[in-house]
mmCIF file of all heavy atoms in Angstrom:
data_model
loop_
_atom_site.group_PDB
_atom_site.id
_atom_site.type_symbol
_atom_site.label_atom_id
_atom_site.label_comp_id
_atom_site.label_asym_id
_atom_site.label_seq_id
_atom_site.Cartn_x
_atom_site.Cartn_y
_atom_site.Cartn_z
ATOM 1 N N GLU A 180 11.237 28.277 4.080
ATOM 2 C CA GLU A 180 11.700 27.008 4.634
ATOM 3 C C GLU A 180 12.242 26.176 3.478
ATOM 4 O O GLU A 180 12.215 26.599 2.325
ATOM 5 C CB GLU A 180 10.546 26.251 5.309
ATOM 6 C CG GLU A 180 9.800 27.026 6.382
ATOM 7 C CD GLU A 180 8.532 26.300 6.794
ATOM 8 O OE1 GLU A 180 8.645 25.312 7.555
ATOM 9 O OE2 GLU A 180 7.444 26.703 6.365
ATOM 10 N N HIS A 181 12.681 24.982 3.782
ATOM 11 C CA HIS A 181 12.947 24.017 2.709
ATOM 12 C C HIS A 181 11.615 23.779 1.985
ATOM 13 O O HIS A 181 10.577 23.637 2.632
ATOM 14 C CB HIS A 181 13.470 22.720 3.315
ATOM 15 C CG HIS A 181 14.076 21.786 2.309
ATOM 16 N ND1 HIS A 181 13.328 21.171 1.325
ATOM 17 C CD2 HIS A 181 15.355 21.361 2.130
ATOM 18 C CE1 HIS A 181 14.124 20.390 0.596
ATOM 19 N NE2 HIS A 181 15.352 20.505 1.059
ATOM 20 N N PRO A 182 11.601 23.746 0.654
ATOM 21 C CA PRO A 182 10.326 23.535 -0.045
ATOM 22 C C PRO A 182 9.552 22.314 0.440
ATOM 23 O O PRO A 182 8.313 22.350 0.473
ATOM 24 C CB PRO A 182 10.755 23.380 -1.505
ATOM 25 C CG PRO A 182 11.979 24.235 -1.611
ATOM 26 C CD PRO A 182 12.699 24.042 -0.297
ATOM 27 N N VAL A 183 10.231 21.239 0.816
ATOM 28 C CA VAL A 183 9.521 20.061 1.328
ATOM 29 C C VAL A 183 8.738 20.417 2.585
ATOM 30 O O VAL A 183 7.587 19.983 2.768
ATOM 31 C CB VAL A 183 10.505 18.904 1.602
ATOM 32 C CG1 VAL A 183 9.823 17.772 2.368
ATOM 33 C CG2 VAL A 183 11.072 18.359 0.284
ATOM 34 N N ASP A 184 9.327 21.226 3.458
ATOM 35 C CA ASP A 184 8.650 21.611 4.695
ATOM 36 C C ASP A 184 7.462 22.527 4.421
ATOM 37 O O ASP A 184 6.394 22.369 5.021
ATOM 38 C CB ASP A 184 9.638 22.296 5.643
ATOM 39 C CG ASP A 184 10.786 21.399 6.053
ATOM 40 O OD1 ASP A 184 10.657 20.166 5.907
ATOM 41 O OD2 ASP A 184 11.825 21.925 6.496
ATOM 42 N N THR A 185 7.643 23.490 3.522
ATOM 43 C CA THR A 185 6.543 24.395 3.196
ATOM 44 C C THR A 185 5.404 23.638 2.532
ATOM 45 O O THR A 185 4.229 23.844 2.846
ATOM 46 C CB THR A 185 7.039 25.532 2.282
ATOM 47 O OG1 THR A 185 8.176 26.150 2.868
ATOM 48 C CG2 THR A 185 5.950 26.567 2.077
ATOM 49 N N TYR A 186 5.747 22.765 1.602
ATOM 50 C CA TYR A 186 4.712 21.952 0.965
ATOM 51 C C TYR A 186 3.973 21.086 1.995
ATOM 52 O O TYR A 186 2.780 20.820 1.855
ATOM 53 C CB TYR A 186 5.321 21.070 -0.126
ATOM 54 C CG TYR A 186 5.122 21.622 -1.518
ATOM 55 C CD1 TYR A 186 6.141 22.311 -2.171
ATOM 56 C CD2 TYR A 186 3.913 21.459 -2.191
ATOM 57 C CE1 TYR A 186 5.961 22.817 -3.453
ATOM 58 C CE2 TYR A 186 3.727 21.954 -3.461
ATOM 59 C CZ TYR A 186 4.745 22.638 -4.097
ATOM 60 O OH TYR A 186 4.554 23.138 -5.360
ATOM 61 N N HIS A 187 4.677 20.633 3.023
ATOM 62 C CA HIS A 187 4.018 19.833 4.055
ATOM 63 C C HIS A 187 2.861 20.613 4.676
ATOM 64 O O HIS A 187 1.774 20.058 4.913
ATOM 65 C CB HIS A 187 5.039 19.434 5.128
ATOM 66 C CG HIS A 187 4.529 18.428 6.108
ATOM 67 N ND1 HIS A 187 4.297 17.115 5.773
ATOM 68 C CD2 HIS A 187 4.188 18.540 7.421
ATOM 69 C CE1 HIS A 187 3.857 16.454 6.824
ATOM 70 N NE2 HIS A 187 3.771 17.300 7.834
ATOM 71 N N ARG A 188 3.068 21.896 4.924
ATOM 72 C CA ARG A 188 1.997 22.727 5.469
ATOM 73 C C ARG A 188 0.883 22.928 4.452
ATOM 74 O O ARG A 188 -0.299 22.807 4.772
ATOM 75 C CB ARG A 188 2.547 24.082 5.911
ATOM 76 C CG ARG A 188 3.451 24.015 7.129
ATOM 77 C CD ARG A 188 3.732 25.394 7.708
ATOM 78 N NE ARG A 188 4.639 26.181 6.880
ATOM 79 C CZ ARG A 188 4.278 27.226 6.141
ATOM 80 N NH1 ARG A 188 3.007 27.604 6.090
ATOM 81 N NH2 ARG A 188 5.176 27.896 5.431
ATOM 82 N N LEU A 189 1.256 23.228 3.219
ATOM 83 C CA LEU A 189 0.247 23.517 2.201
ATOM 84 C C LEU A 189 -0.624 22.303 1.883
ATOM 85 O O LEU A 189 -1.841 22.429 1.695
ATOM 86 C CB LEU A 189 0.938 24.002 0.920
ATOM 87 C CG LEU A 189 1.688 25.332 1.010
ATOM 88 C CD1 LEU A 189 2.419 25.606 -0.301
ATOM 89 C CD2 LEU A 189 0.743 26.469 1.341
ATOM 90 N N LEU A 190 -0.001 21.138 1.801
ATOM 91 C CA LEU A 190 -0.743 19.924 1.433
ATOM 92 C C LEU A 190 -1.750 19.514 2.497
ATOM 93 O O LEU A 190 -2.674 18.735 2.219
ATOM 94 C CB LEU A 190 0.241 18.777 1.165
ATOM 95 C CG LEU A 190 1.069 18.924 -0.115
ATOM 96 C CD1 LEU A 190 2.230 17.936 -0.124
ATOM 97 C CD2 LEU A 190 0.188 18.716 -1.348
ATOM 98 N N HIS A 191 -1.557 20.014 3.703
ATOM 99 C CA HIS A 191 -2.498 19.705 4.790
ATOM 100 C C HIS A 191 -3.259 20.949 5.245
ATOM 101 O O HIS A 191 -3.764 21.007 6.365
ATOM 102 C CB HIS A 191 -1.736 19.060 5.952
ATOM 103 C CG HIS A 191 -1.080 17.770 5.571
ATOM 104 N ND1 HIS A 191 -1.779 16.582 5.462
ATOM 105 C CD2 HIS A 191 0.202 17.486 5.204
ATOM 106 C CE1 HIS A 191 -0.954 15.621 5.079
ATOM 107 N NE2 HIS A 191 0.253 16.142 4.913
ATOM 108 N N SER A 192 -3.356 21.912 4.335
ATOM 109 C CA SER A 192 -4.092 23.133 4.630
ATOM 110 C C SER A 192 -5.569 22.830 4.863
ATOM 111 O O SER A 192 -6.155 21.965 4.188
ATOM 112 C CB SER A 192 -3.958 24.118 3.464
ATOM 113 O OG SER A 192 -4.847 25.207 3.611
ATOM 114 N N PRO A 193 -6.207 23.516 5.800
ATOM 115 C CA PRO A 193 -7.660 23.341 5.973
ATOM 116 C C PRO A 193 -8.458 23.852 4.781
ATOM 117 O O PRO A 193 -9.637 23.519 4.640
ATOM 118 C CB PRO A 193 -7.968 24.166 7.239
ATOM 119 C CG PRO A 193 -6.828 25.122 7.370
ATOM 120 C CD PRO A 193 -5.631 24.441 6.794
ATOM 121 N N ASP A 194 -7.816 24.647 3.920
ATOM 122 C CA ASP A 194 -8.476 25.132 2.705
ATOM 123 C C ASP A 194 -8.243 24.108 1.598
ATOM 124 O O ASP A 194 -7.117 23.943 1.122
ATOM 125 C CB ASP A 194 -7.880 26.486 2.309
ATOM 126 C CG ASP A 194 -8.584 27.105 1.097
ATOM 127 O OD1 ASP A 194 -9.156 26.358 0.286
ATOM 128 O OD2 ASP A 194 -8.512 28.344 0.947
ATOM 129 N N PRO A 195 -9.275 23.399 1.156
ATOM 130 C CA PRO A 195 -9.075 22.327 0.165
ATOM 131 C C PRO A 195 -8.518 22.843 -1.156
ATOM 132 O O PRO A 195 -7.810 22.114 -1.857
ATOM 133 C CB PRO A 195 -10.466 21.716 -0.011
ATOM 134 C CG PRO A 195 -11.414 22.730 0.529
ATOM 135 C CD PRO A 195 -10.680 23.502 1.581
ATOM 136 N N ASP A 196 -8.813 24.082 -1.513
ATOM 137 C CA ASP A 196 -8.280 24.630 -2.760
ATOM 138 C C ASP A 196 -6.767 24.827 -2.670
ATOM 139 O O ASP A 196 -6.029 24.569 -3.634
ATOM 140 C CB ASP A 196 -8.961 25.953 -3.095
ATOM 141 C CG ASP A 196 -10.430 25.777 -3.472
ATOM 142 O OD1 ASP A 196 -10.785 24.673 -3.933
ATOM 143 O OD2 ASP A 196 -11.198 26.730 -3.302
ATOM 144 N N VAL A 197 -6.291 25.278 -1.517
ATOM 145 C CA VAL A 197 -4.850 25.441 -1.309
ATOM 146 C C VAL A 197 -4.154 24.088 -1.385
ATOM 147 O O VAL A 197 -3.116 23.923 -2.030
ATOM 148 C CB VAL A 197 -4.574 26.128 0.047
ATOM 149 C CG1 VAL A 197 -3.088 26.078 0.391
ATOM 150 C CG2 VAL A 197 -5.059 27.572 0.019
ATOM 151 N N ALA A 198 -4.743 23.101 -0.706
ATOM 152 C CA ALA A 198 -4.146 21.760 -0.688
ATOM 153 C C ALA A 198 -4.093 21.158 -2.088
ATOM 154 O O ALA A 198 -3.079 20.562 -2.486
ATOM 155 C CB ALA A 198 -4.915 20.855 0.257
ATOM 156 N N LEU A 199 -5.189 21.312 -2.851
ATOM 157 C CA LEU A 199 -5.227 20.722 -4.193
ATOM 158 C C LEU A 199 -4.252 21.422 -5.127
ATOM 159 O O LEU A 199 -3.561 20.759 -5.922
ATOM 160 C CB LEU A 199 -6.638 20.787 -4.759
ATOM 161 C CG LEU A 199 -6.815 20.199 -6.165
ATOM 162 C CD1 LEU A 199 -6.389 18.726 -6.200
ATOM 163 C CD2 LEU A 199 -8.250 20.349 -6.640
ATOM 164 N N ARG A 200 -4.168 22.741 -5.055
ATOM 165 C CA ARG A 200 -3.206 23.463 -5.902
ATOM 166 C C ARG A 200 -1.793 22.990 -5.610
ATOM 167 O O ARG A 200 -0.998 22.747 -6.533
ATOM 168 C CB ARG A 200 -3.335 24.965 -5.659
ATOM 169 C CG ARG A 200 -2.366 25.800 -6.506
ATOM 170 C CD ARG A 200 -2.640 27.291 -6.356
ATOM 171 N NE ARG A 200 -1.685 28.075 -7.133
ATOM 172 C CZ ARG A 200 -0.829 28.943 -6.632
ATOM 173 N NH1 ARG A 200 -0.784 29.146 -5.316
ATOM 174 N NH2 ARG A 200 -0.007 29.617 -7.409
ATOM 175 N N ALA A 201 -1.458 22.837 -4.345
ATOM 176 C CA ALA A 201 -0.123 22.361 -3.976
ATOM 177 C C ALA A 201 0.101 20.934 -4.466
ATOM 178 O O ALA A 201 1.183 20.599 -4.958
ATOM 179 C CB ALA A 201 0.063 22.446 -2.467
ATOM 180 N N ALA A 202 -0.912 20.094 -4.330
ATOM 181 C CA ALA A 202 -0.771 18.688 -4.731
ATOM 182 C C ALA A 202 -0.515 18.569 -6.227
ATOM 183 O O ALA A 202 0.351 17.788 -6.662
ATOM 184 C CB ALA A 202 -2.032 17.914 -4.343
ATOM 185 N N ILE A 203 -1.241 19.329 -7.023
ATOM 186 C CA ILE A 203 -1.061 19.245 -8.476
ATOM 187 C C ILE A 203 0.316 19.780 -8.870
ATOM 188 O O ILE A 203 1.004 19.196 -9.727
ATOM 189 C CB ILE A 203 -2.187 19.998 -9.197
ATOM 190 C CG1 ILE A 203 -3.513 19.242 -9.004
ATOM 191 C CG2 ILE A 203 -1.881 20.155 -10.682
ATOM 192 C CD1 ILE A 203 -4.736 19.964 -9.536
ATOM 193 N N ALA A 204 0.765 20.856 -8.226
ATOM 194 C CA ALA A 204 2.098 21.390 -8.542
ATOM 195 C C ALA A 204 3.188 20.398 -8.163
ATOM 196 O O ALA A 204 4.152 20.197 -8.917
ATOM 197 C CB ALA A 204 2.306 22.719 -7.808
ATOM 198 N N TRP A 205 3.055 19.755 -7.016
ATOM 199 C CA TRP A 205 4.036 18.752 -6.577
ATOM 200 C C TRP A 205 4.059 17.567 -7.536
ATOM 201 O O TRP A 205 5.125 17.114 -7.982
ATOM 202 C CB TRP A 205 3.694 18.298 -5.165
ATOM 203 C CG TRP A 205 4.578 17.225 -4.601
ATOM 204 C CD1 TRP A 205 4.568 15.886 -4.916
ATOM 205 C CD2 TRP A 205 5.613 17.393 -3.614
ATOM 206 N NE1 TRP A 205 5.521 15.209 -4.189
ATOM 207 C CE2 TRP A 205 6.178 16.108 -3.388
ATOM 208 C CE3 TRP A 205 6.099 18.478 -2.905
ATOM 209 C CZ2 TRP A 205 7.206 15.900 -2.470
ATOM 210 C CZ3 TRP A 205 7.130 18.271 -1.997
ATOM 211 C CH2 TRP A 205 7.683 16.994 -1.781
ATOM 212 N N SER A 206 2.873 17.069 -7.870
ATOM 213 C CA SER A 206 2.763 15.859 -8.685
ATOM 214 C C SER A 206 3.213 16.104 -10.121
ATOM 215 O O SER A 206 3.931 15.278 -10.717
ATOM 216 C CB SER A 206 1.314 15.362 -8.651
ATOM 217 O OG SER A 206 1.174 14.141 -9.326
ATOM 218 N N THR A 207 2.851 17.240 -10.698
ATOM 219 C CA THR A 207 3.223 17.493 -12.094
ATOM 220 C C THR A 207 4.702 17.860 -12.233
ATOM 221 O O THR A 207 5.278 17.676 -13.308
ATOM 222 C CB THR A 207 2.351 18.594 -12.719
ATOM 223 O OG1 THR A 207 2.408 19.782 -11.901
ATOM 224 C CG2 THR A 207 0.899 18.135 -12.836
ATOM 225 N N TRP A 208 5.317 18.367 -11.164
ATOM 226 C CA TRP A 208 6.772 18.576 -11.187
ATOM 227 C C TRP A 208 7.472 17.246 -11.448
ATOM 228 O O TRP A 208 8.358 17.144 -12.304
ATOM 229 C CB TRP A 208 7.229 19.204 -9.873
ATOM 230 C CG TRP A 208 8.695 19.120 -9.571
ATOM 231 C CD1 TRP A 208 9.264 18.472 -8.510
ATOM 232 C CD2 TRP A 208 9.787 19.721 -10.289
ATOM 233 N NE1 TRP A 208 10.641 18.614 -8.528
ATOM 234 C CE2 TRP A 208 10.988 19.383 -9.616
ATOM 235 C CE3 TRP A 208 9.865 20.504 -11.440
ATOM 236 C CZ2 TRP A 208 12.248 19.802 -10.052
ATOM 237 C CZ3 TRP A 208 11.124 20.916 -11.882
ATOM 238 C CH2 TRP A 208 12.296 20.577 -11.195
ATOM 239 N N GLU A 209 7.051 16.206 -10.739
ATOM 240 C CA GLU A 209 7.661 14.901 -10.966
ATOM 241 C C GLU A 209 7.255 14.328 -12.320
ATOM 242 O O GLU A 209 8.076 13.752 -13.034
ATOM 243 C CB GLU A 209 7.301 13.928 -9.841
ATOM 244 C CG GLU A 209 8.048 12.627 -9.922
ATOM 245 C CD GLU A 209 8.118 11.884 -8.603
ATOM 246 O OE1 GLU A 209 8.094 12.540 -7.539
ATOM 247 O OE2 GLU A 209 8.212 10.648 -8.629
ATOM 248 N N GLY A 210 5.979 14.490 -12.664
ATOM 249 C CA GLY A 210 5.523 13.980 -13.956
ATOM 250 C C GLY A 210 6.268 14.601 -15.123
ATOM 251 O O GLY A 210 6.594 13.927 -16.099
ATOM 252 N N GLY A 211 6.574 15.894 -15.021
ATOM 253 C CA GLY A 211 7.223 16.590 -16.123
ATOM 254 C C GLY A 211 8.708 16.361 -16.228
ATOM 255 O O GLY A 211 9.300 16.585 -17.293
ATOM 256 N N THR A 212 9.333 15.908 -15.144
ATOM 257 C CA THR A 212 10.787 15.724 -15.145
ATOM 258 C C THR A 212 11.206 14.260 -15.219
ATOM 259 O O THR A 212 12.400 13.962 -15.145
ATOM 260 C CB THR A 212 11.397 16.351 -13.868
ATOM 261 O OG1 THR A 212 10.772 15.777 -12.712
ATOM 262 C CG2 THR A 212 11.198 17.854 -13.843
ATOM 263 N N SER A 213 10.256 13.361 -15.381
ATOM 264 C CA SER A 213 10.550 11.933 -15.260
ATOM 265 C C SER A 213 10.998 11.271 -16.547
ATOM 266 O O SER A 213 11.375 10.099 -16.521
ATOM 267 C CB SER A 213 9.325 11.186 -14.711
ATOM 268 O OG SER A 213 9.145 11.484 -13.342
ATOM 269 N N SER A 214 10.948 11.968 -17.653
ATOM 270 C CA SER A 214 11.351 11.339 -18.913
ATOM 271 C C SER A 214 12.347 12.229 -19.639
ATOM 272 O O SER A 214 12.407 13.442 -19.423
ATOM 273 C CB SER A 214 10.133 11.076 -19.810
ATOM 274 O OG SER A 214 9.398 12.268 -20.010
ATOM 275 N N LEU A 215 13.129 11.621 -20.504
ATOM 276 C CA LEU A 215 14.142 12.359 -21.247
ATOM 277 C C LEU A 215 13.496 13.381 -22.165
ATOM 278 O O LEU A 215 13.951 14.519 -22.267
ATOM 279 C CB LEU A 215 15.005 11.384 -22.055
ATOM 280 C CG LEU A 215 16.184 11.987 -22.813
ATOM 281 C CD1 LEU A 215 17.188 12.600 -21.839
ATOM 282 C CD2 LEU A 215 16.862 10.923 -23.669
#
Side-chain angles (χ1 to χ4, degrees):
E180 305 169 77
H181 194 293
V183 170
D184 298 342
T185 308
Y186 260 100
H187 190 71
R188 291 192 287 108
L189 295 175
L190 290 166
H191 299 282
S192 170
D194 184 334
D196 292 335
V197 170
L199 180 58
R200 180 173 178 242
I203 291 173
W205 177 285
S206 185
T207 54
W208 163 242
E209 188 158 331
T212 56
S213 288
S214 54
L215 184 63

